């Protein structure tokens, strides 16, 4: 239609009331509300920077409000490295509309409106955001708004909240997934000092006390009194790929022909299989939440990634109208997907029901956090390819098996997905983890379609329906293992073609931005001269590249490792293209943090279990990378101010994982295809070689 206003950004189209986003305060400050939450990734600072740039004001005049279902827009989840893309785009347009409105109303200082001026006003899309050359803060480092208080030790987290009348709660977990409560005597626990309530609702047990230490003591006593019947429900941890391939699953063709075809004749065929284990979120700070329950409503404070999604599932579980429930976001420990935050919120609400009107704080134990948070799904990948007589790939097949990668609140439809839901006296059915839709990048199949231009390529994904352990979103979802597999296999194919791994990739890569990051990382690492360097025996170099989700940031990594009795990553060189860089320091933090986390995943991390119980419930049983083991990380940002901004938080995980594995093969001549590449795994691989 001629003269029609452009479409609004998706988040703004879903929340068009301007007053849901901004509020002008009497003291001359501006309150900004978004549906995206601060998880330690610095998003509050970047969004404030975008608002300040668009309105032409100082960041110091902006107050970023914590997300709440009581006010502010519903932007779904803070996930998938989408906050700048979604909330940033929405806020730019909101501020453009406000600037236009200020002009119409003759605002005294060019941007300040009286309180209430935005009431009832809708975003229309007619106003235009500032041109790139008018933005003075874009591309500049702006100091994190949240760090000064945290560094000074000021209360900043949900763990720090201490409302009047606060009580403390603890849930008592079953000893294993298949356990059923046979009997429990709660009377001795009720008699303990400071115990205010004991909750026994079907299989769900918990305590409320007047002090944290008394809640812990009461929970331990209740656990000792509970009698459970246990059954073996878990697969062989040493044979996870075989379990995944044999389990019930539903298949979907992700890319390529619906029916498979025979490869062209005359090709040299290679095949390999790769895997990763179940992974824990392993946040250093355990999950925490507060809740107050009355006849009038339920109020919850949580470090959830989706306040509206959690509210909906709480309404189902508590069997109350959704409008009775308010969820406020409060910061917690670093979060890398769907960890225990939502389940801790449910614990707080269930325990608070037993003491109406009193706020109840639930702090999970380390055993709860490592043993009962949703895990990142174990994965198995099989690849095969055919090389023609020129050394080019002429045939490609990728097949992946994995449980679903999402069981977040809201994913179960009219069934809550929360941990306690199946344990109540009136239980809800267990929910099978799903994968996000392809438009959101998928789950187990995320990044299974290679970045390369390959003829006769077909990708098949199997969502495993047998779910012995609860799985849900963990940073990068399936991209971590799929890129690990693809980029490891590219090195194996390069070796078969007697070609340098960098040259082999460039031979098949026609995406110019992918070529740019790959060549930049290789150049910065001195790839061409790596063989001439003076380095110790057992040192190797490897690389990897991918575009996250096929639609997000481009990232390439080169790893330098040394392998003796164990693998140690010395250095990482990373090049990343996130389009327009709003805050370089924020992007660098995300890239460096993601790279270091990946090193930990690749070298150390795996959930341990026998046929009945999860065994890795302490740092001794679930080791993570130590500070002394952190490698040097060198990052080049390829700023493209004329391009949309893309997320940075999850781009590194696949390329870095593959770069490490390829460097190990370069160093010791052993191809390790199953993560983690631990000291034990390296020894076994050497003995088998």
């Amino acid at each position: 239609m001629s003269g029609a206003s452009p479409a609004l950004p998706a988040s703004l189209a879903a929340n068009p009331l301007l007053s849901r986003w901004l509020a002008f305060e009497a003291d001359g400050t501006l309150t900004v509300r978004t549906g995206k939450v601060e998880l330690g990734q610095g998003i509050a600072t970047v969004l404030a920077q975008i608002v300040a740039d668009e309105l032409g004001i100082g960041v110091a005049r902006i107050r970023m409000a914590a997300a709440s279902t009581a006010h502010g827009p519903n932007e779904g989840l803070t996930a998938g490295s989408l906050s700048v893309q979604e909330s940033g785009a929405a806020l730019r347009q909101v501020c453009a509309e406000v600037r236009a409105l200020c002009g119409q109303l003759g605002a005294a200082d060019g941007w300040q409106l009286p309180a209430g001026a935005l009431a009832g006003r809708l975003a229309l899309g007619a106003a235009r955001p500032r041109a790139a050359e008018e933005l003075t803060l874009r591309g500049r480092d702006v100091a994190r708004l949240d760090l000064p208080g945290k560094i000074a030790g000021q209360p900043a987290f949900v763990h720090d909240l201490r409302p009047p009348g606060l009580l403390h709660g603890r849930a008592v977990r079953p000893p294993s997934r298949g356990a059923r409560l046979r009997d429990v005597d709660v009377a001795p626990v009720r008699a303990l000092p400071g115990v205010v309530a004991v909750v026994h609702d079907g299989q769900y047990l918990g305590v409320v006390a007047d002090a944290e230490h008394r809640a812990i003591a009461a929970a331990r006593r209740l656990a000792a009194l509970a009698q459970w019947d246990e059954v073996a429900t878990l697969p062989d941890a040493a044979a996870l790929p075989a379990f995944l391939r044999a389990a019930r699953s539903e298949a979907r063709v992700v890319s390529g022909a619906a029916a498979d075809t025979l490869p062209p004749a005359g090709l040299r065929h290679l095949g390999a299989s790769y895997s990763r284990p179940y992974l824990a979120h392993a946040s250093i700070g355990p999950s925490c939440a507060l809740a107050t329950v009355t006849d009038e409503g339920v109020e919850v404070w949580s470090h959830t990634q989706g306040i509206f999604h959690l509210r909906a599932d709480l309404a189902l579980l508590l069997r109350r109208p959704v409008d009775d429930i308010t969820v406020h976001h409060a910061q917690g420990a670093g979060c890398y997907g769907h960890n225990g935050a939502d389940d801790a919120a449910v614990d707080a609400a269930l325990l608070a029901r037993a003491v109406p009107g009193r706020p109840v704080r639930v702090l999970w134990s380390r055993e709860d956090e490592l043993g009962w948070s949703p895990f990142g799904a174990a994965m198995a990948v099989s690849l095969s390819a055919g090389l023609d007589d020129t050394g080019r790939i002429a045939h490609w097949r990728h097949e992946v098996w994995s449980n679903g990668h999402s069981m977040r609140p809201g994913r179960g439809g009219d069934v809550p997905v929360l941990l306690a839901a199946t344990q109540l006296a009136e239980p809800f059915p267990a929910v099978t983890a799903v994968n996000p839709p392809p438009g959101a990048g998928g789950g187990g199949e995320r990044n299974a379609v290679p970045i390369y231009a390959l003829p006769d390529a077909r990708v098949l994904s199997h969502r495993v329906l047998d779910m012995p352990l609860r799985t849900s979103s963990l940073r990068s979802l399936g991209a971590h293992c799929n890129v690990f597999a693809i980029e490891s296999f590219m090195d194996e194919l390069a070796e078969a073609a007697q070609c340098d791994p960098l040259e082999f990739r460039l031979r098949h890569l026609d995406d110019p931005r992918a070529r740019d990051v790959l060549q930049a990382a290789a150049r910065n690492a001195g790839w061409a001269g790596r063989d001439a360097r003076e380095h110790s025996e057992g040192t190797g170099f490897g690389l990897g590249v991918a575009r996250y989700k096929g639609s997000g940031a481009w990232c390439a990594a080169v790893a330098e490792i040394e392998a003796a009795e164990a693998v140690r990553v010395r250095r990482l060189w990373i090049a990343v293209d996130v389009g327009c860089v709003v805050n370089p320091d924020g992007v660098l933090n995300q890239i460096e943090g993601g790279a270091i986390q990946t090193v930990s995943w690749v070298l150390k991390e795996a959930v341990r279990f026998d046929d009945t119980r999860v065994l890795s419930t302490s740092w001794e049983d679930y080791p993570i990378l130590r500070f002394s083991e952190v490698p040097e990380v060198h990052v080049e940002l390829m700023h493209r101010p004329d391009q949309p901004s893309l997320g940075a938080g999850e781009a590194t995980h696949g390329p870095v994982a593959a770069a490490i594995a390829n460097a190990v093969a370069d160093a010791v001549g052993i191809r390790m295809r199953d993560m983690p590449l631990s000291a034990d795994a390296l020894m076994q691989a050497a003995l088998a070689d």
Side-chain angles (χ1 to χ4, degrees):
M1 177 177 175
S2 177
S5 297
L8 294 171
S11 279
L12 185 54
N15 303 272
L17 273 174
L18 297 179
S19 59
R20 297 288 285 182
W21 298 86
L22 301 180
F24 292 92
E25 309 296 350
D27 62 358
T29 61
L30 178 69
T31 297
V32 177
R33 305 186 184 101
T34 83
K36 302 298 185 181
V37 299
E38 178 62 63
L39 303 168
Q41 81 280 43
I43 197 61
T45 302
V46 176
L47 295 179
Q49 187 173 345
I50 289 171
V51 169
D53 228 359
E54 193 62 43
L55 290 178
I57 63 175
V59 173
R61 300 184 74 169
I62 294 173
R63 301 290 178 265
M64 298 298 295
S68 171
T69 60
H71 52 71
N74 180 356
E75 292 194 88
L77 293 166
T78 304
S81 299
L82 293 172
S83 294
V84 172
Q85 290 171 246
E86 294 180 348
S87 203
L91 281 169
R92 280 199 73 202
Q93 184 61 38
V94 166
C95 292
E97 308 249 344
V98 167
R99 280 193 298 104
L101 185 60
C102 288
Q104 295 168 19
L105 299 180
D109 63 1
W111 72 276
Q112 180 79 28
L113 290 173
L118 299 182
R121 294 186 181 271
L122 300 176
L124 303 175
R128 297 291 186 271
R130 294 184 189 274
E133 58 271 16
E134 299 179 82
L135 300 174
T136 59
L137 295 178
R138 177 186 283 188
R140 290 174 51 191
D141 293 338
V142 170
R144 286 274 294 267
L145 302 179
D146 58 320
L147 288 186
K150 292 175 181 176
I151 292 170
Q154 297 172 1
F157 301 102
V158 64
H159 306 64
D160 301 320
L161 296 177
R162 294 293 189 277
L166 180 67
L167 297 173
H168 298 266
R170 285 272 171 144
V172 174
R173 306 293 173 205
S176 58
R177 266 64 181 169
R180 300 293 297 174
L181 183 64
R182 183 172 70 253
D183 189 35
V184 63
D185 180 7
V186 301
V189 181
R190 286 198 176 104
L192 291 175
V195 172
V196 179
V198 178
V199 174
H200 176 197
D201 186 347
Q203 308 288 309
Y204 186 83
L205 300 174
V207 299
V208 181
D210 60 5
E212 176 74 16
H213 70 280
R214 287 176 167 170
I216 294 171
R220 288 175 177 164
R221 178 65 172 146
L222 185 57
L225 291 168
Q227 300 175 41
W228 301 86
D229 294 321
E230 294 187 77
V231 294
T233 61
L234 303 183
D236 182 355
L240 277 178
F243 161 74
L244 294 171
R245 289 182 170 89
R248 294 181 306 119
S249 66
E250 58 181 24
R252 183 176 76 85
V253 176
V254 180
S255 178
D260 204 358
T261 58
L262 293 174
L267 301 182
R268 180 183 178 189
H269 295 281
L270 291 91
S273 294
Y274 307 84
S275 73
R276 82 166 192 181
Y278 292 101
L279 294 174
H281 286 80
S283 297
I284 291 178
S287 296
C288 184
L290 279 75
T292 304
V293 176
T294 65
D295 290 340
E296 290 73 36
V298 179
E299 196 163 12
V300 173
W301 290 262
S302 169
H303 52 113
T304 175
Q305 288 182 271
I307 54 173
F308 287 91
H309 289 71
L310 175 58
R311 181 178 71 161
D313 266 26
L314 279 170
L316 293 170
L317 186 138
L318 299 174
R319 293 180 167 88
R320 299 188 65 145
V322 70
D323 291 340
D324 280 4
I325 299 173
T326 301
V327 179
H328 309 287
H329 183 266
Q331 292 186 50
C335 175
Y336 309 106
H338 180 198
N339 65 356
D342 298 288
D343 295 315
V346 173
D347 287 338
L350 288 173
L351 298 178
R353 283 200 306 191
V355 287
R358 297 287 297 274
V360 174
R361 174 183 181 268
V362 170
L363 175 65
W364 272 23
S365 67
R366 173 62 53 204
E367 292 77 11
D368 287 339
E369 192 70 35
L370 286 175
W372 288 97
S373 287
F375 296 125
M379 297 181 65
V381 177
S382 289
L383 290 171
S384 63
L387 295 173
D388 64 19
D389 55 8
T390 69
R392 295 185 65 91
I393 300 169
H395 175 79
W396 181 276
R397 294 293 181 268
H398 184 125
E399 201 163 359
V400 55
W401 291 262
S402 172
N403 284 121
H405 285 250
S406 183
M407 200 163 53
R408 293 181 183 275
R411 297 298 195 206
D414 58 356
V415 177
V417 302
L418 303 155
L419 177 60
T422 61
Q423 300 172 347
L424 303 176
E426 296 182 46
F428 293 88
V431 175
T432 302
V434 299
N435 284 317
E445 70 275 30
R446 181 168 292 183
N447 276 96
V449 178
I451 197 172
Y452 304 100
L454 303 176
D456 191 24
R458 186 173 187 265
V459 177
L460 184 64
S461 174
H462 301 266
R463 181 171 73 99
V464 174
L465 303 178
D466 295 330
M467 206 168 77
L469 295 172
R470 192 168 62 130
T471 63
S472 194
S473 303
L474 177 63
R475 202 174 188 183
S476 81
L477 282 66
H480 170 236
C481 191
N482 281 315
V483 176
F484 168 78
I486 291 168
E487 289 297 289
S488 294
F489 196 45
M490 287 296 288
D491 258 36
E492 297 193 53
L493 291 169
E495 182 179 6
Q498 298 183 333
C499 184
D500 176 80
L502 173 62
E503 174 55 35
F504 187 75
R505 285 167 171 79
L506 294 172
R507 180 184 296 177
H508 295 89
L509 200 54
D510 59 7
D511 179 338
R513 292 171 77 171
R515 293 176 67 92
D516 284 351
V517 294
L518 181 58
Q519 290 173 313
R523 179 179 61 253
N524 295 338
W527 180 265
R530 66 192 186 283
D531 292 336
R533 293 186 189 177
E534 291 186 10
H535 50 70
S536 60
E537 184 179 354
T539 299
F541 292 81
L543 51 77
V545 64
R547 184 182 185 189
Y548 183 54
K549 292 192 288 192
S551 59
W554 289 261
C555 179
V558 175
E560 178 189 5
I561 68 96
E562 59 178 333
E565 67 278 0
V567 176
R568 180 182 179 90
V569 180
R570 288 178 170 177
R571 298 178 186 85
L572 293 170
W573 293 268
I574 298 171
V576 64
D577 178 349
V578 295
C580 177
V581 178
V582 178
N583 186 315
D585 184 61
V587 175
L588 287 172
N589 289 338
Q590 286 294 291
I591 296 300
E592 291 171 358
I596 292 167
Q597 182 181 48
T598 306
V599 174
S600 186
W601 284 2
V602 173
L603 299 186
K604 291 179 175 287
E605 297 186 37
V607 175
R608 297 175 56 246
F609 50 90
D610 59 20
D611 62 359
T612 305
R613 297 185 178 189
V614 170
L615 305 175
S616 49
T617 57
S618 70
W619 294 126
E620 288 74 22
D621 302 315
Y622 192 88
I624 61 175
L625 199 71
R626 296 176 179 272
F627 287 110
S628 60
E629 298 170 315
V630 171
E632 295 179 21
V633 182
H634 307 272
V635 181
E636 178 178 346
L637 301 182
M638 311 193 78
H639 180 41
R640 299 185 186 273
D642 58 331
Q643 297 295 322
S645 297
L646 301 170
E650 299 171 296
T652 59
H653 290 68
V656 169
I660 295 170
N662 290 332
V664 171
D666 180 51
V668 297
I670 298 173
R671 174 58 60 178
M672 300 180 70
R673 301 187 179 97
D674 302 298
M675 294 182 278
L677 314 185
S678 63
D680 287 345
L682 180 62
M683 181 179 297
Q684 291 172 13
L687 292 173
D689 187 49

